[in-house]
């Protein structure tokens, strides 16, 4: 079975645990690299790190998430990686801007149990779709 590499850029430990639980619900083997800020993620990718999926909080302290997304898009391995916005903002302007920057999906937290289950299935399909195309 394939092992998927997931990068989560999220400053909340509680939210990071929820994402890990959603990923476990996909039933796919995965390694989760969690960064509490954009600088850690930038270092990871600058040093050759790779991911099958990147989830990024749009409201990280001290980080402009849109600049971070543009940085990720310029990096070799991460240029083609699916990026998902995982944020507390349901503001239409934030959604539009994130989509303009190239995120594949926009997830609003907090999520209820049903939303988490649906999100797990969406993440599973994203990862399996990447396997078929790559």
């Amino acid at each position: 079975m394939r092992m998927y590499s997931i990068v989560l850029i999220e400053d909340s430990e509680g939210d990071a645990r929820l994402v890990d639980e959603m990923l476990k619900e996909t039933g796919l083997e995965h390694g989760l690299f969690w960064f509490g800020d954009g600088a850690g993620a930038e270092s990871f990718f600058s040093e050759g790190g790779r991911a099958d999926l990147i989830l990024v909080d749009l409201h990280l302290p001290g980080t402009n998430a849109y600049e971070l997304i543009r940085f990720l898009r310029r990096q070799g391995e991460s240029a083609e990686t699916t990026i998902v916005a995982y944020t507390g903002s349901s503001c239409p302007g934030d959604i539009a801007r994130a989509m303009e920057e190239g995120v594949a999906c926009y997830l609003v937290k907090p999520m209820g149990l049903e939303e988490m289950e649906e999100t797990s299935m969406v993440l599973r399909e994203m990862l399996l779709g990447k396997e078929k195309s790559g």
Side-chain angles (χ1 to χ4, degrees):
M1 180 175 242
R2 178 174 175 195
M3 172 73 93
Y4 294 92
S5 176
I6 315 294
V7 168
L8 172 62
I9 310 163
E10 165 64 59
D11 62 311
S12 165
E13 184 176 344
D15 287 338
R17 276 191 251 129
L18 288 175
V19 168
D20 192 36
E21 286 303 314
M22 285 190 289
L23 290 168
K24 287 177 184 172
E25 288 297 314
T26 67
L28 301 173
E29 292 291 322
H30 69 278
L32 180 63
F33 298 90
W34 172 40
F35 301 98
D37 59 29
E42 285 182 6
S43 292
F44 175 79
F45 286 108
S46 292
E47 295 170 8
R50 58 167 297 281
D52 296 298
L53 179 68
I54 301 169
L55 292 104
V56 60
D57 184 353
L58 296 183
H59 298 286
L60 294 164
T63 301
N64 179 315
Y66 302 107
E67 287 179 13
L68 176 60
I69 291 168
R70 285 190 293 276
F71 167 83
L72 295 170
R73 287 281 169 237
R74 291 189 307 267
Q75 294 303 299
E77 282 291 327
S78 61
E80 299 300 319
T81 301
T82 301
I83 299 176
V84 173
Y86 178 66
T87 184
S89 174
S90 60
C91 173
D94 285 346
I95 295 169
R97 186 165 180 200
M99 297 310 243
E100 287 170 8
E101 294 294 346
V103 301
C105 185
Y106 192 97
L107 304 174
V108 179
K109 57 185 178 179
M111 295 180 186
L113 186 57
E114 187 174 315
E115 291 169 307
M116 288 177 64
E117 290 172 355
E118 290 172 6
T119 299
S120 292
M121 292 302 101
V122 167
L123 296 175
R124 178 184 171 83
E125 291 304 314
M126 285 180 174
L127 289 166
L128 290 175
K130 184 151 185 77
E131 185 173 282
K132 291 175 188 167
S133 66

